[in-house]
Amino acid sequence: LVKKEEERKVLLEVERKEREEKMAMIEKRLEEEEANLASLRKEGKEREEQFSLLLRKVQEEGERVKTLEEEKEELEKERDSLSSLLEGEKASLASLSEEKREREERVASLIQKLEEE
């Protein structure tokens, strides 16, 4: 009976040590998982910050594009206005050239009449 009691004590001690080892392994794994989770949280925060920076850059570029489009529209209006002015000046120049040609013809005609007289 004493021998069986001794064997039972030994078995209980072995089981206790096995449980302690399992518990130590579980605690070690839990620590590793907690460290991994902390690392993932840090990485997530860094990515969130990068995303915020990229989003801000995209918004700034959007504003810049909008400004450039507005400037382009203004320049196109100015170009159209200058083009109209240029056409007007060309027409005026053509008219003046025609007037000059007519005057030269009259002067030539008058010179010819004077020479004939």
Side-chain angles (χ1 to χ4, degrees):
L1 195 68
V2 171
K3 190 176 177 185
K4 280 195 170 197
E5 185 63 28
E6 286 289 322
E7 285 178 8
R8 194 173 77 75
K9 282 183 180 179
V10 169
L11 282 175
L12 288 173
E13 184 64 23
V14 168
E15 287 177 4
R16 184 185 64 76
K17 284 184 179 180
E18 287 176 353
R19 280 194 306 267
E20 285 178 356
E21 289 174 2
K22 284 182 181 178
M23 212 38 195
M25 287 175 47
I26 290 171
E27 287 176 355
K28 182 180 178 187
R29 185 161 180 219
L30 180 61
E31 288 174 2
E32 290 172 353
E33 290 298 325
E34 286 175 345
N36 187 29
L37 180 60
S39 174
L40 289 173
R41 283 184 179 143
K42 182 180 178 185
E43 184 180 332
K45 186 176 180 183
E46 290 171 354
R47 287 186 178 192
E48 189 175 311
E49 289 171 358
Q50 289 175 345
F51 177 76
S52 293
L53 286 173
L54 287 173
L55 182 60
R56 194 173 320 128
K57 284 183 180 180
V58 166
Q59 289 170 339
E60 289 171 358
E61 285 300 310
E63 288 297 318
R64 185 170 165 260
V65 166
K66 184 179 176 184
T67 301
L68 288 173
E69 287 174 349
E70 289 170 354
E71 288 177 8
K72 178 185 170 194
E73 287 177 14
E74 289 176 19
L75 289 172
E76 286 174 347
K77 287 177 185 177
E78 187 175 342
R79 180 196 65 204
D80 292 345
S81 174
L82 289 173
S83 180
S84 294
L85 282 174
L86 180 61
E87 289 303 315
E89 289 299 315
K90 283 180 180 177
S92 176
L93 181 60
S95 173
L96 289 174
S97 292
E98 179 64 22
E99 196 176 304
K100 177 185 173 195
R101 187 187 60 74
E102 290 172 357
R103 285 185 181 174
E104 287 174 345
E105 285 177 1
R106 276 185 275 163
V107 167
S109 175
L110 287 173
I111 290 172
Q112 187 179 0
K113 284 182 183 177
L114 284 173
E115 286 176 352
E116 289 174 1
E117 291 181 0

